[in-house]
Amino acid sequence: MFFHAGHYKPPNMASVARLPSLSSVGGHVTQQMLQQLPSPAKLGAIVTKKRPNAFVKGKRDSGNDEKSVNTKIETERYRNSYMHNLCLDMLKDGFHHSFCELFNLMKHEKEQQQKLGPDSGLQDQPLVQDQPEKLEQMKAHLTAAEAAKRRGKMDVVYSCYLTLATYFEQSGDISFSNHFYKLCLEASVKVLGDGRRKEAEANFNMGVTYEKQEYYIEAMQCFEHFYALTNGRLWQMEDTGRTLFSMACESLQNVYTTLAMQLKTSDPSESIAYLLKAYKVAKEGDDLEGRGDASYLLGCAYLDNDDAETALLYHNEYLNVCQENEDVTGMGKAHRALAKSYEKQMDIESAVKNLESFVELSEKSGDFREQQRACSAIGEMLNTLGKYEESAMYIEKAYKLTKKMQEEENKELVRTEYGIVIANLVMFGLSQAMDTTSTQNIDKLLHWKRSRKDVFAASVSIPRNFSLEKVVDYHGSDEDIKIEQDPEQNENEVIPDVTDTEQTKPVETAE
Amino acid sequence: MPILGSEEDRQHRKNQQLIRQKQMIELCRTTGQKLLFEGKYESAVPAALAALKFAIQVYGLSSIELVPSYLILGEASIGLNKLSQANEYLSQAQWTVLKTPECGNEIKSRLYRNLGLLEAARKNYFDALSHLSNDVYHSSCAYGTDDIQTSGGYFHMANVFYRQNRLDVAFSLYNQVIDIWNGHLSHLVDQRTREPEVTTGLIGQMISGDNANDIDVLGEAQEAEAIQVLNAVLELREQQTVQNASIMCKVYYTLTMLHFILNDSKQAEEFAGKAKTACENIVSGDAGMAEKISELSKAIEQIETPTS
């Protein structure tokens, strides 16, 4: 029923010009105000004055009226935020895609920050929308890109996005650079006439960004594209002259390797699958070192998987690669790995042979650490084989090296090993003397009992300062005498070792 | 004759009145808006006036709630070429907005749209673009850059650029408008075709209450806007001597969807046919599009059969 009262049909246009009085509404005061309301006196006066002009010619209308509008817009600009004005400028010039891009990015950033909450520590970081410099950069390149897009010059679009992506990468706004790399990729697909080189490059860039953020699967996909696109092409980097294809191989290998390492414990077979892929691409690339690394890792993986035979294959390849490269350290590594594989295959002889070359090579390389490792490794091996004299020789060497390196922890470890080996040696001699009775042996035994000095193996010089006696004491008596060569020595570490060798010893001597 | 009731009674009646008034405001505004989109400016005026009257009753004179009515009045005046009149209304609206700092982006957007239209009608294209930019900005703040609410701003900007003879920009904007509508309508069509009981039954406005919950409906004003905008773009596109098949296809397809949602199967079929031919003319081919068109055609047939 109210509607009927208000359903007022204007008889002509004049009724539009002035709001009809709403007689049925409100009290006296309201009535008065209502009459004033629709057309404020001042403004109405201005407008009616200008009105004839306005209809004669649009352009002429400029006079006062336009000025007032302009100043209105001007004053508004003071009130608006920088970002707001920037958006308005873009839109006004017709760059609506740029506007959408920028606006949504800002919105996304803000939402992201809010989502993470005040505890994230991001709250204090300034938003890009409050950084005029970055906004200007974005505006400049986005609008350039949009203009180029309209003209169909996709390569310009691509380079614009690329500039932005690198710009934000340098300024540390990773999500932004990421976004622009994505746009690069989209634009690059449409670049024609360069045999898809731009697409390949965009894929590479995208892959690198993904890799940096540890999205390895995505990175892998990008690199695979890159690889497929560069395969068989002779494109080169302008500055280094390196072919893109070799870069593809290298980056793809890296990603595969990383993925394989991630899966190492959870899914060994998948891990090996990745390593195989890495090996395959490494072989195609011209980088020998990469190929070597791939085969070494693959060998290690197979070894962990108890497939020593295949492991040998790849370790041998690694050795060959290192030989080609004259990489002494690498060769040493290869020999050690080979030795491990042989050991697993119970082919002790080959293992020892490899270890010996490992020692030799490590001496050549002059790296003390490697040398010590080599000596220790071969010493341990020989110890288990029951060749105590040789073992003692190597371990001694290792011990001396640790002294040179001044690494306390390692030194203690090697020292203990040394003790074990020498104890084994004496024990071996003693039991032999006991077994075969002869006057000579009885003499030796008596001498031993008297002096507790080694007389069984003359070939090995046992340093007097080394507390052999304590070790020997331990072997001589049944009681658990503490080894007191060093108060800091960890007993737990030593005692099981000793008993271990003691347990295995009779078996070996029996053989 | 009702006698003066108790205090409670009166309170109740007052509340009832208030609710009715608010409903009336809503109804009048929507009607006004719809009439505007249909180009019936003269009839939009009384509706807007009625809305204004109720709004004054409910909210008082300086409330922001009066602004939508002013805006409709302003737009109607522009349509009737009463530009100074429009300026008055819009100035009033702008003043109210200015005095209300907490005024929402939605209203600001509509205000700037009307200001833009006014300037465009005065052929002050530069100012018109400034206002329309503001419209798009505020609308994007309120709804997002790719909402149908924002598309109106793009459309008007496109018109201004078109009149300035900056055709590349204009068509780029028209494309965006079409894209936005395309996205929105696809969403609506998806909702309808996914549920079989809806595709066979009632569609659009006539959906009963319980179904309306999971289906978005195109409002009356939006419907009118869609028809106006899409047809305008189509007309412009068809006028062009060189036509891009894929764009034409998209326009036709969007119109097909619109008529499908409006339950106008005859028109929908017609546009579906045009879309199909356009789709076949795309040089590089577009399998996804062709599939979508044929799917939609099937859905159209489905709504046709039960009625005929």
Side-chain angles (χ1 to χ4, degrees):
Chain A
M1 30 166 216
F2 266 107
F3 188 68
H4 277 292
H7 191 48
Y8 177 89
K9 208 171 185 180
N12 51 30
M13 278 316 77
S15 72
V16 180
R18 190 179 299 154
L19 270 173
S21 64
L22 305 168
S23 52
S24 58
V25 185
H28 181 65
V29 183
T30 322
Q31 278 303 316
Q32 265 192 331
M33 288 173 90
L34 260 184
Q35 273 158 11
Q36 291 169 0
L37 163 75
S39 25
K42 259 190 187 168
L43 191 62
I46 295 170
V47 174
T48 36
K49 256 187 220 165
K50 295 290 158 231
R51 200 170 151 195
N53 272 346
F55 285 96
V56 178
K57 213 150 209 181
K59 286 271 162 149
R60 282 272 188 81
D61 192 35
S62 32
N64 250 340
D65 198 15
E66 176 144 303
K67 230 181 213 167
S68 80
V69 172
N70 268 342
T71 49
K72 250 192 229 167
I73 294 170
E74 288 297 308
T75 36
E76 253 170 26
R77 288 188 76 90
Y78 282 108
R79 247 182 246 133
N80 296 340
S81 67
Y82 190 88
M83 149 101 176
H84 187 154
N85 283 331
L86 194 93
C87 288
L88 294 189
D89 287 342
M90 280 196 288
L91 279 168
K92 213 160 57 184
D93 297 331
F95 294 113
H96 58 106
H97 284 304
S98 312
F99 161 74
C100 286
E101 202 66 63
L102 192 116
F103 188 87
N104 287 329
L105 269 173
M106 297 301 143
K107 204 169 134 193
H108 182 74
E109 192 195 19
K110 221 177 184 173
E111 281 169 1
Q112 210 65 23
Q113 201 182 61
Q114 272 164 5
K115 206 169 77 185
L116 290 172
D119 296 336
S120 64
L122 281 174
Q123 214 76 351
D124 308 329
Q125 271 184 15
L127 289 166
V128 173
Q129 77 176 52
D130 301 324
Q131 301 174 49
E133 198 189 317
K134 288 180 185 171
L135 287 174
E136 279 301 336
Q137 278 284 335
M138 268 168 110
K139 184 192 163 193
H141 289 107
L142 279 174
T143 47
E146 192 170 351
K149 202 182 209 165
R150 285 210 192 106
R151 280 179 281 131
K153 290 188 174 165
M154 289 313 283
D155 49 335
V156 180
V157 178
Y158 172 81
S159 57
C160 282
Y161 287 148
L162 190 62
T163 324
L164 276 177
T166 42
Y167 174 78
F168 280 110
E169 199 170 13
Q170 276 157 13
S171 71
D173 301 280
I174 296 304
S175 65
F176 281 78
S177 79
N178 216 8
H179 178 81
F180 285 114
Y181 274 126
K182 258 180 220 159
L183 286 181
C184 266
L185 191 57
E186 278 167 33
S188 69
V189 178
K190 294 178 195 152
V191 177
L192 299 173
D194 68 344
R196 300 175 82 184
R197 175 172 176 160
K198 284 267 190 310
E199 193 181 337
E201 284 174 13
N203 266 307
F204 175 71
N205 288 333
M206 194 74 238
V208 171
T209 4
Y210 275 136
E211 202 179 5
K212 266 188 206 154
Q213 292 166 70
E214 306 191 344
Y215 296 126
Y216 292 115
I217 298 284
E218 284 87 347
M220 181 186 80
Q221 285 160 353
C222 287
F223 284 139
E224 274 171 357
H225 276 295
F226 180 48
Y227 171 83
L229 286 168
T230 49
N231 199 351
R233 301 276 188 167
L234 292 172
W235 293 325
Q236 284 179 337
M237 289 292 286
E238 280 87 5
D239 41 355
T240 57
R242 197 173 164 200
T243 62
L244 292 186
F245 182 65
S246 99
M247 279 167 75
C249 290
E250 189 193 334
S251 33
L252 202 49
Q253 185 203 341
N254 283 339
V255 171
Y256 283 143
T257 314
T258 322
L259 280 168
M261 290 302 138
Q262 279 179 346
L263 291 169
K264 204 172 178 182
T265 45
S266 58
D267 188 354
S269 62
E270 187 69 23
S271 168
I272 285 187
Y274 276 124
L275 282 175
L276 274 172
K277 277 187 189 170
Y279 175 70
K280 191 181 145 264
V281 289
K283 235 175 156 178
E284 284 174 47
D286 52 8
D287 182 16
L288 263 179
E289 213 169 299
R291 191 172 136 195
D293 287 342
S295 60
Y296 175 70
L297 284 172
L298 197 52
C300 288
Y302 273 119
L303 195 62
D304 287 343
N305 233 9
D306 289 330
D307 187 352
E309 214 165 308
T310 327
L312 273 176
L313 216 72
Y314 288 107
H315 282 319
N316 265 322
E317 172 151 7
Y318 179 48
L319 184 62
N320 289 339
V321 169
C322 288
Q323 272 164 357
E324 264 178 70
N325 268 358
E326 294 176 0
D327 173 6
V328 180
T329 327
M331 272 158 79
K333 223 164 98 183
H335 277 302
R336 196 172 52 169
L338 278 167
K340 260 191 204 161
S341 322
Y342 280 125
E343 196 183 340
K344 215 152 208 171
Q345 274 190 324
M346 303 305 282
D347 185 352
I348 303 295
E349 238 170 79
S350 311
V352 171
K353 229 181 260 165
N354 272 299
L355 279 177
E356 272 164 3
S357 4
F358 179 30
V359 173
E360 213 173 283
L361 285 163
S362 60
E363 272 164 11
K364 247 191 238 167
S365 76
D367 182 354
F368 287 144
R369 176 154 260 284
E370 282 297 303
Q371 276 185 52
Q372 180 256 313
R373 267 197 206 147
C375 291
S376 292
I378 197 166
E380 278 167 40
M381 178 82 76
L382 289 169
N383 184 28
T384 46
L385 280 179
K387 296 181 180 172
Y388 303 117
E389 283 181 45
E390 291 164 57
S391 169
M393 249 161 57
Y394 280 111
I395 298 272
E396 190 188 353
K397 218 175 189 176
Y399 179 60
K400 276 178 188 156
L401 283 165
T402 53
K403 265 194 198 160
K404 264 190 214 166
M405 284 191 293
Q406 297 186 323
E407 279 180 29
E408 278 311 308
E409 206 178 317
N410 233 336
K411 194 169 145 189
E412 294 309 331
L413 199 78
V414 176
R415 193 149 121 173
T416 321
E417 273 177 354
Y418 193 21
I420 294 165
V421 171
I422 289 173
N424 271 333
L425 185 63
V426 174
M427 179 90 164
F428 183 61
L430 184 75
S431 60
Q432 261 189 345
M434 294 286 260
D435 281 351
T436 50
T437 39
S438 66
T439 42
Q440 212 179 359
N441 278 345
I442 291 171
D443 272 354
K444 272 188 187 171
L445 283 170
L446 281 172
H447 184 71
W448 162 251
K449 287 282 180 192
R450 217 173 25 240
S451 66
R452 295 275 161 173
K453 285 194 175 134
D454 184 27
V455 283
F456 306 108
S459 58
V460 181
S461 64
I462 296 167
R464 286 297 90 113
N465 61 347
F466 193 84
S467 45
L468 171 73
E469 316 217 16
K470 303 265 168 61
V471 183
V472 172
D473 270 348
Y474 174 67
H475 273 272
S477 67
D478 321 48
E479 288 308 311
D480 51 346
I481 295 167
K482 299 248 160 48
I483 297 176
E484 290 162 352
Q485 53 184 7
D486 194 333
E488 285 162 41
Q489 184 66 43
N490 188 350
E491 305 166 17
N492 295 344
E493 209 183 308
V494 181
I495 293 167
D497 261 292
V498 176
T499 41
D500 250 330
T501 42
E502 222 178 358
Q503 277 164 1
T504 51
K505 212 202 105 188
V507 184
E508 284 161 9
T509 42
E511 282 168 5
Chain B
M1 269 299 284
I3 320 160
L4 259 180
S6 63
E7 175 64 30
E8 250 176 56
D9 250 5
R10 275 177 281 153
Q11 196 61 41
H12 176 72
R13 234 175 272 168
K14 213 174 175 182
N15 282 341
Q16 287 294 315
Q17 190 187 6
L18 208 63
I19 291 169
R20 300 254 157 74
Q21 280 172 332
K22 281 183 185 171
Q23 284 171 346
M24 287 308 296
I25 296 172
E26 198 50 46
L27 176 69
C28 297
R29 255 187 225 163
T30 322
T31 315
Q33 196 63 54
K34 189 185 161 202
L35 289 167
L36 282 185
F37 280 123
E38 286 167 1
K40 297 171 186 160
Y41 302 112
E42 235 166 291
S43 349
V45 173
L49 281 177
L52 184 62
K53 193 194 80 177
F54 288 119
I56 290 171
Q57 276 179 352
V58 178
Y59 301 105
L61 278 171
S62 56
S63 165
I64 192 81
E65 295 290 334
L66 310 187
V67 174
S69 308
Y70 284 133
L71 293 179
I72 297 175
L73 285 169
E75 200 177 335
S77 310
I78 297 168
L80 295 168
N81 215 4
K82 297 260 171 197
L83 298 188
S84 59
Q85 184 71 48
N87 195 15
E88 268 179 61
Y89 286 128
L90 294 181
S91 301
Q92 184 72 41
Q94 198 173 14
W95 178 235
T96 315
V97 167
L98 216 58
K99 280 199 301 185
T100 322
E102 70 273 13
C103 163
N105 280 314
E106 297 87 348
I107 290 182
K108 276 187 191 160
S109 145
R110 291 194 45 209
L111 168 68
Y112 283 114
R113 190 168 302 178
N114 282 315
L115 285 171
L117 287 176
L118 174 66
E119 294 302 333
R122 286 175 168 177
K123 298 197 168 52
N124 285 337
Y125 293 131
F126 183 78
D127 292 341
L129 285 177
S130 293
H131 286 308
L132 288 172
S133 307
N134 246 321
D135 163 29
V136 172
Y137 179 81
H138 286 295
S139 179
S140 299
C141 286
Y143 309 103
T145 49
D146 293 317
D147 194 273
I148 47 168
Q149 303 279 2
T150 314
S151 76
Y154 290 131
F155 176 69
H156 293 306
M157 282 188 90
N159 285 338
V160 174
F161 279 118
Y162 188 78
R163 270 183 254 169
Q164 280 186 324
N165 221 10
R166 289 164 71 180
L167 294 186
D168 53 340
V169 184
F171 279 113
S172 162
L173 277 161
Y174 282 131
N175 274 348
Q176 175 138 357
V177 174
I178 292 288
D179 281 341
I180 292 172
W181 277 106
N182 191 356
H184 187 72
L185 290 171
S186 301
H187 175 65
L188 293 181
V189 167
D190 267 0
Q191 283 181 336
R192 281 159 178 72
T193 45
R194 224 183 296 135
E195 287 159 293
E197 77 269 6
V198 181
T199 45
T200 52
L202 308 165
I203 285 178
Q205 291 295 299
M206 280 117 83
I207 285 169
S208 55
D210 51 331
N211 268 351
N213 289 337
D214 30 317
I215 286 192
D216 297 321
V217 184
L218 216 51
E220 261 183 79
Q222 286 173 349
E223 263 177 34
E225 186 180 1
I227 294 171
Q228 187 216 1
V229 168
L230 294 181
N231 280 321
V233 176
L234 176 67
E235 215 170 285
L236 276 171
R237 283 284 177 192
E238 278 179 341
Q239 279 171 12
Q240 297 299 305
T241 43
V242 186
Q243 292 182 355
N244 182 330
S246 70
I247 290 174
M248 288 313 288
C249 177
K250 198 186 255 171
V251 177
Y252 286 133
Y253 178 66
T254 311
L255 274 160
T256 317
M257 288 195 287
L258 176 65
H259 288 291
F260 172 73
I261 283 166
L262 298 179
N263 223 2
D264 183 353
S265 55
K266 207 181 249 175
Q267 289 259 29
E269 234 169 55
E270 196 186 317
F271 281 118
K274 281 185 183 172
K276 214 172 180 181
T277 30
C279 187
E280 281 157 10
N281 285 338
I282 298 175
V283 183
S284 52
D286 190 342
M289 195 72 191
E291 197 180 312
K292 273 200 270 182
I293 293 169
S294 67
E295 258 175 42
L296 189 59
S297 310
K298 261 184 226 159
I300 294 166
E301 274 167 35
Q302 268 181 2
I303 53 164
E304 238 185 2
T305 37
T307 46
S308 61

